[in-house]
Amino acid sequence: TSGGYFSENDGSKDGRKAERERRRAEHRATNPNFREKTPEEIAEIERRRRQRMQEEAEKWNMAPEDAPPEGEPVGGDGSYYMDDEEFDGEDGDSNEGDVKECKR
């Protein structure tokens, strides 16, 4: 926007920085109970965040001893992700437009 509310922010690095600083100053002025976090508080927040991320990663990551043998599907029922779909081969054939009967 030209000449408007965001006239300082021209998209450059310095313009974006000036916009952030302006917004911070505005926030501090409108929130009287606001105070900056100390480096110790920031470090503690980051430590907790890293701990949460590690716990989430442990939920999702598979331990090497739990992994199926090389070449086997991950699912225990022997099915692959693309059950009924035919893979587009090198010849470029595709199943687009094919109508399949619905089984109920």
Side-chain angles (χ1 to χ4, degrees):
T1 59
S2 60
Y5 189 66
F6 300 105
S7 60
E8 290 180 23
N9 188 356
D10 58 357
S12 68
K13 182 179 178 181
D14 291 332
R16 293 190 306 270
K17 184 176 181 180
E19 179 66 22
R20 283 194 307 272
E21 291 302 323
R22 184 193 64 76
R23 288 178 181 232
R24 283 186 185 122
E26 182 181 306
H27 176 73
R28 290 181 190 119
T30 58
N31 292 288
N33 295 332
F34 176 80
R35 70 172 181 81
E36 294 288 335
K37 288 185 174 48
T38 64
E40 292 81 17
E41 289 173 319
I42 293 171
E44 178 62 20
I45 291 168
E46 182 66 17
R47 185 191 67 75
R48 281 192 243 137
R49 185 189 70 81
R50 288 175 192 261
Q51 185 177 4
R52 279 195 318 274
M53 296 297 282
Q54 181 65 32
E55 290 168 2
E56 282 299 313
E58 289 169 3
K59 291 179 189 175
W60 286 89
N61 291 338
M62 184 178 287
E65 59 273 3
D66 296 336
E70 186 82 23
E72 293 293 316
V74 174
D77 61 356
S79 65
Y80 288 88
Y81 179 72
M82 297 169 55
D83 284 353
D84 297 333
E85 301 294 324
E86 291 184 25
F87 181 76
D88 290 341
E90 292 178 7
D91 59 354
D93 288 343
S94 139
N95 289 336
E96 284 186 32
D98 291 352
V99 177
K100 293 184 180 181
E101 191 173 315
C102 182
K103 299 175 186 172
R104 291 184 189 223

